Amino acid sequence: MHQSSIFILHPSSFHLGLIGYPLGHSLSPRIHTAALQACRLQGDYSLFPIHPDDQQGLKDLLARVRSGEITGLNVTIPHKQNVIPLLDELTPTAQAIGAVNTIYLRDNKLIGHNTDAQGFITDLKRATNSAFCTPHSALVLGAGGSARAVVYALLNDGWNVTIAARRIEQAQQLALSFPNYQLQITNYSSFIFYAKHSSFILLVNATPIGMTPNIDQSPLPENITLSQHTIIYDLVYNPRETKLVKDARAQGLSAATGLGMLIEQAALAFEIWTGHNPPREIMLSSIS
Ligand code: NAP
């Protein structure tokens, strides 16, 4: 995957920010401000809410990156794909995933990268018992933007991946993005049957099921018993312990929410923009 060791001439003050819509509840300003302070750097992190129809707003903001006024941007829903035609280059990771979450200027070119995949796989290994978490079979629920990054990361790490999606055509599109790999696809409505009769050891929730305010929802029925070796990774991080994770832990399974991935993908972007490797625990404590 893309490494952040590329040479960038770093400014004395870092003007960072996030493009998305809406952005009212974003945790990114707190996380990145903590990183700037921990690394003793001057700078700020602003929110740039740009309406999905406001193409000119997107162009104007990217022009400020090109001019050097803004050092770097994160990108979230609904612009992770919209920005691609406005950039000069994509890193191989962003190209493969088909989505950008980090923008920076290099050699006067606007580059789009994606740190979600590396953020996910790094946190998966950190948060779960890595003795169990060796590449095997994984079942990914959902086929949207984050599922693309998760699937890319797992395939690169040597996992066999099955995608469970309620719209099969969405999963098929995802599979077409990775033509060199054999991806299995199952219908979301029958994934419980699949879960009971297959030997996957990692279940990743890449749907919003269980996210605030629907905190009583889980993709798994309460009465299902999974193998004691199953690892659960829920990309949802709000609430801090989702019902999926709570139920899994009650069964004695290794389980994590996506808070660590959120921190890791932010830290990787921060390192690209500033050249500094920020302390994850300080970034995490800024939102705890
Ligand atoms: P997305 O692009 O909208 O994709 C969501 C996927 O889930 C789609 O395939 C969608 O199917 C499916 N889905 C939604 N509701 C469902 C339901 N009730 N039953 C079955 N499938 C359902 O969203 P995303 O960007 O991938 O985000 C997914 C979740 O991951 C969100 O909660 C987000 O906050 C979280 N996330 C966390 C991180 C992190 O750093 N931890 C990073 C990115 C995302 P349809 O297209 O048919 O609706």
Side-chain angles (χ1 to χ4, degrees), residues 14-20 23 26 28-30 32-33 36 43-49 61 64 69-70 72-74 273:
F14 296 92
H15 300 296
L16 313 171
L18 172 65
I19 320 175
L23 290 176
S26 173
S28 295
R30 280 154 66 186
H32 285 281
T33 302
L36 284 165
D44 45 57
Y45 190 99
S46 309
L47 294 179
F48 298 107
L61 198 59
R64 292 169 66 188
E69 184 197 337
I70 296 174
L73 290 169
N74 280 137
W273 297 324

Side-chain angles (χ1 to χ4, degrees), residues 125-136:
K125 294 186 175 195
R126 182 201 60 78
T128 58
N129 185 337
S130 53
F132 284 136
C133 202
T134 49
H136 195 277

Side-chain angles (χ1 to χ4, degrees), residues 172-238:
Q172 284 166 339
Q173 279 301 321
L174 198 165
L176 282 176
S177 306
F178 305 111
N180 297 331
Y181 295 94
Q182 280 279 322
L183 274 164
Q184 279 82 46
I185 294 172
T186 182
N187 201 303
Y188 187 86
S189 58
S190 55
F191 93 82
I192 300 295
F193 176 84
Y194 180 89
K196 280 184 179 163
H197 295 91
S198 67
S199 59
F200 70 91
I201 65 152
L202 173 65
L203 175 76
V204 181
N205 178 32
T207 79
I209 298 170
M211 191 165 85
T212 302
N214 303 311
I215 59 171
D216 294 331
Q217 293 178 6
S218 166
L220 284 181
E222 249 163 57
N223 53 3
I224 188 169
T225 306
L226 297 172
S227 145
Q228 280 301 298
H229 296 302
T230 312
I231 295 163
I232 305 281
Y233 195 97
D234 194 347
L235 259 63
V236 176
Y237 52 81
N238 181 11

